[in-house]
Amino acid sequence: MSQPNRLASGGLIDRTRPLAFTFDGRTYSGHPGDTLASALLANGVTLVGRSFKYHRPRGVLTAGSEEPNALVELRTGARREPNVKATVAELYAGLEASSQNRFPSLAFDLLAVNQLASPVFVAGFYYKTFMWPAKLWEKLYEPLIRRAAGLGRAAEAADPDPYEKTTAHCDVLVIGGGPAGLAAALAAGRTGARVILADEDFALGGRLIAERRELGGQSAARWADEAEAELANLPEVTVLRRTSVLGAYDGGVYGAVERVSDHLREPAPHQPRQRFWRIVAKRAVLAAGALERPIAFGGNDTPGVMFAGAVRAYLNRYGVAPGRRAVVYANNDDAARTVADLNAAGCELVAVVDARGDSPALHAAARTAGALLVFGGAVARAYGGQSVKGCEIVDARGGSFNVACDLVAVSGGWNPTIHLTTHLGGRPQWRDDLAAFAPGGTPPGMTVVGAAAGAFGLGEALAAGAQAGAEAANDCGFSGGTFDPPRADDDSGETRGLGPWRVPAKRGKAFVDFQNDVTVKDVELAAREGFRSVEHLKRYTTLGMATDQGKTANVLGLALMAEITGRSIPATGLTLTRPPFTPVALGALGGAHRAKEFKPTRLPPSHFWAEEQGAVFVETGLWMRAAYFPRAGETDWLETTIREVETVRTKVGVYDASTLGKIDVQGADAGAFLDHVYINTFSTMPIGKARYGLMLREDGIAMDDGTVARLGETHYYVTTSTAHAASVMRHLEYCRQWLFPHLDVHLSSITDQWAKYAIAGPRSRDVVAALADDGFDVSDAGLPYLGVKELTVCGGTRARLFRLSFSGEMAFELAVPARYGDALIRAIMAAGEPFGICPYGAEALSVMRIEKGHAAAAELNGQTTAADLGLGGMMSKKKDCIGKVLSQREGLADPARPRLVGFKPVDRSQRLRGGAHFVPRGAAVTAANDEGYMTSVAYSPSNGCWVGLGFLARGQERIGEIVRAVDPVRDGDVEVEVVAPVFVDPEGVRVRG
Amino acid sequence: MSTDRYSIFSVLREALRGHTGWKPAWREPEPKAEYDIVIVGGGGHGLATAHYLARVHGITNVAVVEKGWIGGGNVGRNTTIVRSNYLLPGNTPFYEHSMKLWEELEQDLNYNAMVSQRGVVNLFHSDGQRDAYARRGNAMRLHGVDAELLDVPELKRILPMLDFDNARFPIKGALRQRRGGTVRHDAVAWGYARAADGRGVDIIQNCEVTGFRIEAGRILGVETTRGFIGAKKVGLACAGNSSRVAAMAGLRLPIESHALQAFVSEGIKPFIDTVCTFGAGHFYISQSDKGGLVFGGDIDGYNSYAQRGNLPTIEDVAEGGMALMPAIGRVKLLRHWGGIMDMSMDGSPIIDRTPVAGLYLNAGWCYGGFKATPASGWCFAHLLATDAPHEVAAAYRLDRFATGRLIDEKGVGAQPNLH
Amino acid sequence: MRIPCPYCGVRGLDEFAYLGDATLIRPDPAAPGAEAAFHDYVYLRDNPAGLHRELWQHASGCQSWLVVTRDTRTHAIGRVEVARDVAAARGSGAE
């Protein structure tokens, strides 16, 4: 296939291998080393995209990641990626790209009708219109706007490719692999320091491979190759190509993304598509180069108008002529290189327009190329619609004439790429000598070199890079190994863009922000309406808010606002850029944390056994808990749950309680410590006893509950709720280390170290007795209710046995080291079989705790006090504890607060719902009559009806009253009887066995 | 002749003359020697307060002083969500009042802030969360606020891109408020500024308050970088910096400043049509009219005035997004930034008098400030004008921490980084 | 942000849990006016823009609570002390 604009020779492409690819369904050919943009240009494709608002035809403006125009959808199906910059998309065989934001086709886009309405669609017009009638906004105006806006389309299915994240530590991070960055990496690397060199491009060299330059007597591209080869051989140096450093964060942390597989059709097996790097660097050298900027003239967005530096990159790096008849328009001496390179490539130079006065360098180049030379002039307008056909040139005397051309190479000067210097608050400084912003403050440990620091000469970039690299390594304790940069063929070229910023408009729109279609007129309108600060300008016109984040637009926009308002540029302001430097795939930031791997999964010791039993599991925080154990013939969870509850209440059941938090508390002051953190007293509790405990936050609200057992004189064992295990542990360590540092006490979390099973029911003692080794008395006398003892089970396995009950039945909690957990559940089931044991899950547990009125997460919701929970009487009057003082505030001690009570439906066949609110009978269902809410409900087999717990205003005084439980979100309205919050064995006989 | 009324007709007329007739949206006046009321802070709340002082109470001798440019604080750096889906009686009527003011905002201001009632959907993932959301939804309904509980089939119709099948925390349903949605945030500041300016309020930018002149316990005015400005009453509406400003008046507040990060992706074609919050991760998302996915998560969790955050939160948010809707894997994050929140000690705001006579406080908005903007302005104006709290903001008292009548929606207590 | 734990070395932010102002001292619950003192202790904050002494726990590490001096404007970390040592030297806490 022909590539009409491919030069006969030159470029860093592999001409021996053709790569077929498609754009909008048409097949083209390129070569390894091409980007999609260079390959399209080689094939003579100049119309690549449509702009955001006016749907204007757009081509390729740049050769890098700052590209505002040439955005495409890459790949198809679930791998479809919107808004890919063709200028950085590496070509591979079979690449499929489509233009976006057009309908029905790129060449014929109906929405280009917006251009006709562009006199209306100026900056901020939305704010002035679409207000009437109000209800049409969501129904009509907004959907139309949304459909027209946006750019590419996201995929509609889950991204099939994997991503990963990694952390790296280094002495010196070098950002950018151009001349300054290579010099820095070599200088640092030769000292033996750990160096990471990251460059967003797939080839190192930066401008070295985009220009025809010489270094140390050889081509600069060759020198870059050799530098890369040496770096690859230095053992402590890591070179990350295709890696964009996106952001600087506190503490020398940098975020970067490596496009591991984007240059392949799809990732190789076991390889991620992209890898997110957290790079922790002691020192950083920013060598990010500079970005060329536009000049605002009419039609400056026409395909074929291209940055001069990009023109040179396409000629020299890719062997592509972006046009055959060129006009060069510049305000700096870079124009001379552009002219020379175009001439060397055999392109016709129609005209060279220098906005400045006479320039000897340019004179020579233009004469050699035989070009018409216009000093002090301007390109007033480019024309041609979908590709440039000519431009109107104004000379210094104001005369104008048209020339035919198919390429306008523009340079409005260069802006140092200082984005990363601003991420931690560094404020760029305007430098008149550069006519650009240069780094102000930098993140700690960062040095900026080369063009990024405003040193545009090749020789000075190499020297500064070498010096910064060596100094950074020295700062990290490395020395020796020297690097003398090669001699550069530097000229003393003037690279300042000295204006003008714009050409007085004749016809055609002059664009400032290409992608967002912000024109000079929009900036003028913003100024007229008072949006004169940079922040207002940006937000009102959307200047700098496109996918290139204003890399090509911001300084021009600021300069125009300064000009319009008669202020200097620094007085007009500056826009701090935000991370990321270039857009980053959300998949990369998410890494492997998606789907089932979103969060870790914790499995209790009986999990695999429970799986064998066919248990149904439920996510509880990070834990997977067995919810219920269905048997053949059971049809729903409720039937199974009722059977499990009844088995416990009549025979015996077993439940894996290992998910409760467990904390070992030891030390001479362990009892005193617990007295500080619980409302009740544990220092006087006898050894071998356990008791329920409640702890408060310092603000007097209930924090968590659990049991505390005393295993020895100086040894306690504390349990927490499953949900609060980590936060309670943190709280206790805070109390121990910070509030009560003089106490002799130590804490260890042993949640994962012990497996624990609750064995509950009238036959539970039989099961426990069968497990306990000889000589351990588990009779009521040997282990009465609330007793604790250490013993061995199953022939010598160390265990702890607690006579505690959550279910209200006689019950034991049997704990063994976690590695025996699986064996123990099997042993319990075997020992229990003669007594009719069944395993029960979280559902049955919940039913039984509600039947007993025990508070759980729904009641301990962070808004309730001990008194609200009916536990006010537990609070010791003899001692202080965390939260005691503030729990006495009038608002918390108010007797009118909702208190925990029980509820039964008056019509016993009706179902109760958690989250229902209580209103008095006969009262309107309004907030004024809201008296509380239902927290937990369950079907109680023992009561033969639904029962509930909830908080009702002055509930403890209203036992026997009937109120309504209203549930408007589920159309529920049930009359309920207020009862004491205990539905089974209110006297507590059964637990005592 | 200049144009000051906004409509499609004025836009068309201006289009014919190159938009040369538009007036500045607000004047740039020099500060007067004295005002009846000076509002410190030209954010959404301060500007809304000025507007309602002028429109509702007829008090127009008012200045809003702003240290930078108006709208440069949190009203310009949030995720644009508006809703009134609150649980507690101290909050629900206030946020509902705000919602009603949003609904009439464009007509009130003659400014299209693009109030988009596209709905807010809060996902739940367990029976316990369902009951908690039912409790909240029922509380809303009892207050006359719309709320509905959605089951999974309904949810799949609204949000087909969610990961229903392979999720670590399966989605069990959602609470939806249809009247919730999004608003074009910057336009809120500009719309209020323009409307207040139109009624005579002076908006004074680049005027930083450096101190208060207080004599015998009464405020006399504010010292600023543009000189002393006398005032009979001064209202502070500078959330994010409330502690620093109040300290100049000798006050210590129940507030910490924390950074909340927000995120926007590149523009894409319409992808999600409602606001969605993920109940099992720290993530919420909507899509702007321009096409960017706008999303966020938790605050970074440490005191900060730096207007930026760090990678752990950024990654946490992205992980939540990928867990919730894995089709966004190849959508690219365009920009992330941080705003400074006044995190109050119970997660709810303060609109009240202070111990200094004539000095009033509007603070502690946590990250609920944007949606509150109209009602905050309305109620603060009411307080400034009448010296009595507005009935829907009556619970937002400074002394509630002493009395224990807290408004703690999340139930996490006096730890601001958990709210 | 990275915090130098005196026991474990410099570690990333994700290993630490934050609590807040470390200059607050738990009042004597038995003293007169304890409720007001506890109100100030639990709810009021200096909230400085600048150096802030604050409590962090190396939660994914050694569990130590630390007193970190940090600039809230720049996030620059200064001195890091073991909280228990600070607390013991202060001699506070309930007896």
Side-chain angles (χ1 to χ4, degrees):
Chain A
M1 276 160 285
S2 72
Q3 298 177 32
N5 286 338
R6 184 77 72 182
L7 299 173
S9 64
L12 305 175
I13 51 168
D14 179 359
R15 290 170 187 267
T16 64
R17 286 175 53 208
L19 298 176
F21 69 99
T22 65
F23 177 63
D24 277 346
R26 283 192 61 180
T27 302
Y28 301 95
S29 180
H31 298 290
D34 264 328
T35 62
L36 176 58
S38 70
L40 286 170
L41 290 169
N43 285 279
V45 177
T46 54
L47 173 62
V48 181
R50 288 277 174 174
S51 68
F52 182 76
K53 188 157 84 176
Y54 301 136
H55 290 253
R56 286 174 62 102
R58 291 288 167 80
V60 174
L61 182 68
T62 75
S65 63
E66 72 275 27
E67 175 64 34
N69 286 341
L71 306 185
V72 299
E73 287 177 359
L74 197 61
R75 297 185 172 84
T76 57
R79 287 196 168 90
R80 184 172 69 207
E81 180 185 3
N83 309 338
V84 175
K85 293 164 180 126
T87 50
V88 295
E90 207 172 334
L91 199 67
Y92 56 86
L95 178 149
E96 292 176 274
S98 310
S99 58
Q100 55 185 34
N101 199 35
R102 82 290 188 263
F103 177 81
S105 75
L106 184 57
F108 180 73
D109 181 359
L110 282 175
L111 285 168
V113 71
N114 285 1
Q115 287 186 70
L116 299 177
S118 66
V120 177
F121 287 4
V122 292
F125 92 99
Y126 298 96
Y127 306 127
K128 297 169 180 156
T129 52
F130 301 126
M131 284 178 277
W132 186 88
K135 66 177 143 198
L136 278 193
W137 174 253
E138 286 91 350
K139 289 196 163 52
L140 179 65
Y141 302 138
E142 185 175 51
L144 283 174
I145 290 168
R146 287 189 69 196
R147 226 170 297 151
L151 291 164
R153 300 164 301 158
E156 281 152 33
D159 189 340
D161 289 341
Y163 296 86
E164 68 182 33
K165 300 200 244 192
T166 189
T167 303
H169 296 258
C170 67
D171 296 306
V172 183
L173 169 65
V174 180
I175 301 156
L182 286 171
L186 285 167
R190 286 185 186 179
T191 68
R194 280 183 305 172
V195 175
I196 293 176
L197 169 65
D199 194 293
E200 62 180 359
D201 206 334
F202 54 89
L204 292 188
R207 291 307 299 178
L208 294 178
I209 56 174
E211 309 277 4
R212 294 185 302 142
R213 302 293 293 260
E214 288 207 342
L215 272 185
Q218 60 180 337
S219 86
R222 178 82 183 274
W223 181 85
D225 260 356
E226 289 177 3
E228 184 175 2
E230 180 184 343
L231 290 169
N233 282 325
L234 289 170
E236 298 297 331
V237 174
T238 305
V239 175
L240 298 173
R241 292 180 297 148
R242 303 186 177 99
T243 303
S244 306
V245 177
L246 303 170
Y249 301 94
D250 293 310
V253 179
Y254 294 83
V257 68
E258 180 185 7
R259 286 171 292 277
V260 179
S261 307
D262 279 357
H263 60 297
L264 305 171
R265 189 193 282 266
E266 59 187 67
H270 311 299
Q271 285 295 311
R273 176 185 171 226
Q274 297 183 348
R275 180 181 291 125
F276 183 74
W277 289 77
R278 310 173 194 97
I279 300 173
V280 182
K282 293 189 182 126
R283 292 285 181 276
V285 177
L286 179 66
L291 296 171
E292 208 158 15
R293 63 194 186 207
I295 299 172
F297 59 86
N300 62 343
D301 65 327
T302 311
V305 178
M306 186 182 283
F307 282 151
V311 169
R312 301 199 298 277
Y314 288 114
L315 292 168
N316 300 320
R317 176 173 172 180
Y318 301 105
V320 170
R324 294 294 182 179
R325 307 187 69 207
V327 169
V328 175
Y329 176 31
N331 59 11
N332 60 79
D333 272 354
D334 256 10
R337 280 188 196 291
T338 314
V339 170
D341 289 359
L342 280 165
N343 189 47
C347 300
E348 181 189 344
L349 266 298
V350 177
V352 179
V353 183
D354 191 328
R356 304 168 301 170
D358 202 353
S359 153
L362 197 51
H363 248 304
R367 195 175 310 118
T368 308
L372 171 70
L373 187 55
V374 181
F375 282 121
V379 169
R381 185 169 67 94
Y383 53 84
Q386 298 197 345
S387 65
V388 71
K389 292 190 171 55
C391 59
E392 178 183 347
I393 294 171
V394 183
D395 65 23
R397 292 184 308 278
S400 74
F401 56 94
N402 289 0
V403 296
C405 63
D406 62 1
L407 175 68
V408 181
V410 179
S411 179
W414 294 79
N415 292 321
T417 306
I418 57 177
H419 302 68
L420 285 169
T421 69
T422 70
H423 287 179
L424 298 189
R427 300 183 74 77
Q429 290 180 332
W430 179 260
R431 276 174 53 184
D432 280 327
D433 63 322
L434 298 174
F437 282 102
T442 57
M446 177 188 280
T447 311
V448 190
V449 295
F456 292 121
L458 178 53
E460 51 182 342
L462 288 162
Q467 186 185 347
E471 284 176 2
N474 291 347
D475 287 349
C476 300
F478 295 88
S479 57
T482 55
F483 167 71
D484 292 320
R487 206 181 53 76
D489 62 338
D490 256 12
D491 43 43
S492 53
E494 173 69 72
T495 48
R496 283 193 295 173
L498 288 177
W501 297 101
R502 60 168 166 173
V503 178
K506 290 207 158 184
R507 270 189 296 152
K509 288 185 165 48
F511 285 87
V512 183
D513 186 313
F514 289 78
Q515 191 182 123
N516 272 351
D517 284 335
V518 180
T519 66
V520 172
K521 284 189 169 166
D522 290 319
V523 178
E524 289 170 339
L525 177 61
R528 190 173 303 133
E529 295 194 271
F531 295 90
R532 295 168 173 225
S533 89
V534 173
E535 285 299 322
H536 286 165
L537 169 66
K538 178 177 100 175
R539 292 154 186 273
Y540 193 62
T541 65
T542 73
L543 181 135
M545 310 281 267
T547 64
D548 58 333
Q549 273 220 73
K551 288 190 180 68
T552 57
N554 280 346
V555 172
L556 175 57
L558 178 62
L560 292 173
M561 181 57 83
E563 204 174 291
I564 292 163
T565 56
R567 296 173 293 180
S568 71
I569 287 173
T572 305
L574 54 92
T575 308
L576 295 180
T577 62
R578 304 286 176 193
F581 172 66
T582 50
V584 54
L586 288 169
L589 287 171
H593 296 270
R594 50 191 279 201
K596 297 286 189 201
E597 281 73 45
F598 170 48
K599 295 285 179 192
T601 302
R602 298 179 77 179
L603 302 177
S606 68
H607 182 81
F608 297 106
W609 172 84
E611 267 187 346
E612 290 168 23
Q613 310 309 307
V616 174
F617 295 94
V618 61
E619 297 80 5
T620 309
L622 297 181
W623 292 97
M624 289 298 282
R625 289 203 299 185
Y628 53 97
F629 293 81
R631 285 184 180 165
E634 291 174 347
T635 53
D636 71 356
W637 68 273
L638 186 56
E639 183 183 357
T640 302
T641 301
I642 290 170
R643 190 254 307 151
E644 291 174 7
V645 170
E646 285 174 339
T647 307
V648 173
R649 296 245 181 261
T650 57
K651 297 174 195 162
V652 58
V654 59
Y655 174 79
D656 189 340
S658 306
T659 62
L660 294 175
K662 311 180 202 76
I663 300 168
D664 201 64
V665 183
Q666 296 195 46
D669 297 320
F673 175 76
L674 294 174
D675 288 349
H676 280 304
V677 297
Y678 283 98
I679 65 171
N680 42 344
T681 304
F682 290 101
S683 55
T684 55
M685 183 170 71
I687 295 167
K689 282 290 177 191
R691 195 176 290 157
Y692 176 79
L694 180 71
M695 61 177 76
L696 308 181
R697 305 190 306 229
E698 192 68 279
D699 66 357
I701 297 290
M703 174 190 262
D704 195 48
D705 65 351
T707 57
V708 178
R710 189 166 195 175
L711 302 177
E713 179 62 31
T714 61
H715 189 183
Y716 290 79
Y717 166 91
V718 167
T719 67
T720 75
S721 65
T722 300
H724 293 150
S727 59
V728 168
M729 183 67 196
R730 181 171 307 149
H731 169 71
L732 294 185
E733 283 289 5
Y734 164 79
C735 294
R736 181 183 80 87
Q737 297 177 38
W738 180 245
L739 295 183
F740 312 116
H742 56 283
L743 294 182
D744 175 7
V745 61
H746 283 270
L747 308 171
S748 298
S749 168
I750 53 170
T751 304
D752 289 329
Q753 278 67 35
W754 288 82
K756 182 149 90 173
Y757 295 98
I759 302 164
R763 305 307 299 272
S764 56
R765 184 181 291 120
D766 298 315
V767 179
V768 172
L771 294 165
D773 290 344
D774 290 347
F776 293 102
D777 179 6
V778 298
S779 71
D780 195 51
L783 188 66
Y785 179 55
L786 300 178
V788 179
K789 70 164 48 177
E790 298 189 89
L791 73 167
T792 63
V793 296
C794 303
T797 300
R798 185 181 155 222
R800 289 172 177 169
L801 187 61
F802 307 82
R803 179 94 186 267
L804 293 168
S805 176
F806 202 50
S807 57
E809 300 301 322
M810 177 170 71
F812 298 81
E813 290 179 1
L814 178 60
V816 294
R819 62 186 177 279
Y820 302 121
D822 180 82
L824 184 61
I825 184 64
R826 294 171 198 275
I828 292 170
M829 288 301 293
E833 210 215 323
F835 310 104
I837 196 167
C838 83
Y840 63 101
E843 292 289 353
L845 180 81
S846 177
V847 171
M848 290 188 281
R849 74 97 188 162
I850 291 168
E851 288 180 328
K852 289 300 291 181
H854 293 308
E859 290 77 31
L860 292 160
N861 60 14
Q863 296 162 332
T864 50
T865 66
D868 296 344
L869 293 161
L871 302 172
M874 270 172 62
M875 190 172 314
S876 167
K877 299 204 169 32
K878 296 181 193 149
K879 67 170 181 84
D880 174 53
C881 69
I882 303 272
K884 183 176 180 180
V885 171
L886 290 187
S887 74
Q888 292 154 3
R889 284 176 290 172
E890 51 145 300
L892 296 188
D894 188 343
R897 282 176 67 92
R899 298 296 167 100
L900 185 71
V901 285
F903 299 90
K904 282 183 178 177
V906 172
D907 172 352
R908 297 289 199 249
S909 69
Q910 284 186 300
R911 181 174 181 168
L912 302 183
R913 298 276 187 185
H917 285 239
F918 303 119
V919 297
R921 269 205 299 188
V925 182
T926 64
N929 296 319
D930 190 356
E931 295 196 307
Y933 56 98
M934 190 87 82
T935 53
S936 304
V937 300
Y939 178 79
S940 167
S942 312
N943 289 265
C945 68
W946 285 81
V947 299
L949 299 175
F951 292 98
L952 178 69
R954 297 181 319 283
Q956 78 281 16
E957 301 162 13
R958 297 169 66 179
I959 304 297
E961 196 177 314
I962 290 170
V963 297
R964 283 165 73 188
V966 296
D967 185 27
V969 295
R970 285 169 294 204
D971 298 323
D973 186 353
V974 179
E975 286 196 332
V976 292
E977 180 186 347
V978 182
V979 298
V982 53
F983 300 91
V984 166
D985 184 27
E987 294 77 28
V989 175
R990 294 192 204 171
V991 290
R992 297 177 187 279
Chain B
M1 189 193 81
S2 65
T3 299
D4 51 9
R5 177 84 194 162
Y6 292 165
S7 71
I8 185 62
F9 307 108
S10 64
V11 169
L12 289 171
R13 188 173 68 240
E14 283 297 328
L16 297 175
R17 53 170 171 169
H19 296 277
T20 52
W22 295 112
K23 282 203 314 187
W26 52 84
R27 298 164 294 128
E28 291 191 18
E30 286 300 313
K32 292 192 265 185
E34 192 185 30
Y35 292 91
D36 290 341
I37 295 174
V38 167
I39 294 160
V40 181
H45 291 222
L47 295 166
T49 304
H51 168 67
Y52 293 120
L53 276 172
R55 179 168 84 69
V56 179
H57 302 281
I59 301 172
T60 57
N61 186 23
V62 172
V64 177
V65 297
E66 164 57 45
K67 73 173 175 179
W69 302 94
I70 62 162
N74 290 337
V75 74
R77 48 181 71 241
N78 60 75
T79 45
T80 78
I81 297 166
V82 299
R83 56 182 173 86
S84 58
N85 57 357
Y86 278 75
L87 168 68
L88 298 177
N91 278 330
T92 319
F94 173 84
Y95 284 97
E96 178 59 12
H97 185 61
S98 213
M99 184 58 74
K100 288 185 173 139
L101 291 171
W102 285 121
E103 287 169 333
E104 62 189 45
L105 188 75
E106 279 133 18
Q107 314 304 325
D108 181 10
L109 300 183
N110 177 229
Y111 206 86
N112 185 0
M114 305 182 202
V115 175
S116 171
Q117 294 183 285
R118 54 182 70 180
V120 172
V121 169
N122 306 116
L123 304 177
F124 55 75
H125 307 264
S126 69
D127 293 347
Q129 278 188 340
R130 174 190 288 119
D131 287 352
Y133 272 126
R135 178 190 167 199
R136 180 195 293 224
N138 286 330
M140 293 162 64
R141 294 281 287 268
L142 263 61
H143 279 97
V145 182
D146 71 302
E148 49 195 309
L149 220 50
L150 303 183
D151 61 16
V152 170
E154 286 172 287
L155 206 47
K156 281 186 174 173
R157 280 198 295 278
I158 304 170
L159 292 163
M161 79 296 287
L162 301 186
D163 187 353
F164 288 96
D165 303 325
N166 196 30
R168 171 71 178 80
F169 300 103
I171 297 164
K172 299 248 174 101
L175 179 70
R176 171 162 71 168
Q177 184 185 21
R178 284 182 197 249
R179 287 164 59 245
T182 60
V183 179
R184 171 79 183 98
H185 54 328
D186 293 316
V188 174
W190 303 335
Y192 275 121
R194 177 170 164 274
D197 174 274
R199 290 177 190 269
V201 170
D202 283 355
I203 294 165
I204 305 166
Q205 302 183 95
N206 297 303
C207 179
E208 181 170 2
V209 170
T210 56
F212 296 96
R213 196 174 286 178
I214 298 166
E215 274 180 26
R218 165 159 283 283
I219 194 100
L220 300 178
V222 293
E223 307 284 355
T224 78
T225 50
R226 295 175 68 172
F228 174 74
I229 303 173
K232 297 187 178 73
K233 292 178 178 176
V234 174
L236 306 184
C238 42
N241 286 293
S242 294
S243 297
R244 298 164 77 177
V245 176
M248 291 190 272
L251 304 177
R252 220 165 149 243
L253 300 181
I255 284 171
E256 289 180 3
S257 293
H258 285 257
L260 176 69
Q261 301 195 65
F263 305 80
V264 65
S265 80
E266 294 182 345
I268 55 173
K269 289 295 176 195
F271 178 78
I272 178 168
D273 297 328
T274 185
V275 180
C276 178
T277 75
F278 181 26
H282 307 297
F283 184 76
Y284 53 91
I285 188 167
S286 64
Q287 186 171 17
S288 76
D289 287 344
K290 206 165 160 271
L293 300 178
V294 181
F295 54 98
D298 267 355
I299 56 175
D300 261 44
Y302 42 82
N303 287 48
S304 177
Y305 285 92
Q307 290 199 335
R308 59 184 159 78
N310 276 296
L311 279 178
T313 303
I314 296 162
E315 294 182 41
D316 192 52
V317 167
E319 288 165 11
M322 284 301 290
L324 186 64
M325 37 182 76
I328 61 174
R330 295 167 116 88
V331 175
K332 293 186 282 288
L333 170 67
L334 176 60
R335 192 164 58 241
H336 69 83
W337 64 93
I340 302 306
M341 310 290 117
D342 261 15
M343 296 304 296
S344 76
M345 300 309 266
D346 65 355
S348 294
I350 298 156
I351 302 177
D352 204 358
R353 288 182 282 258
T354 72
V356 178
L359 181 65
Y360 300 80
L361 181 66
N362 174 320
W365 291 98
C366 300
Y367 39 79
F370 178 67
K371 70 179 84 70
T373 304
S376 170
W378 184 283
C379 295
F380 200 36
H382 184 94
L383 176 69
L384 283 160
T386 67
D387 245 340
H390 190 277
E391 60 177 357
V392 300
Y396 296 153
R397 311 305 295 273
L398 202 45
D399 70 357
R400 69 178 186 267
F401 303 96
T403 63
R405 299 196 184 276
L406 302 157
I407 315 167
D408 185 354
E409 288 265 333
K410 273 196 174 177
V412 295
Q415 208 182 324
N417 64 335
L418 300 182
H419 280 290
Chain C
M1 206 146 76
R2 294 170 58 76
I3 297 174
C5 172
Y7 296 116
C8 309
V10 185
R11 297 300 183 90
L13 177 61
D14 51 342
E15 293 188 15
F16 294 86
Y18 181 76
L19 188 72
D21 193 335
T23 64
L24 303 163
I25 296 174
R26 190 169 190 267
D28 178 358
E35 195 173 303
F38 268 81
H39 163 265
D40 292 1
Y41 163 69
V42 170
Y43 293 111
L44 299 188
R45 298 287 184 270
D46 289 335
N47 193 22
L51 292 183
H52 190 226
R53 270 167 68 82
E54 57 196 24
L55 283 162
W56 292 78
Q57 187 196 22
H58 194 189
S60 300
C62 62
Q63 308 292 309
S64 294
W65 280 90
L66 306 172
V67 177
V68 176
T69 304
R70 189 178 58 95
D71 192 318
T72 58
R73 295 163 304 185
T74 64
H75 299 167
I77 307 273
R79 196 161 167 209
V80 178
E81 303 156 88
V82 174
R84 196 169 195 217
D85 295 346
V86 175
R90 188 180 66 211
S92 75
E95 296 305 315

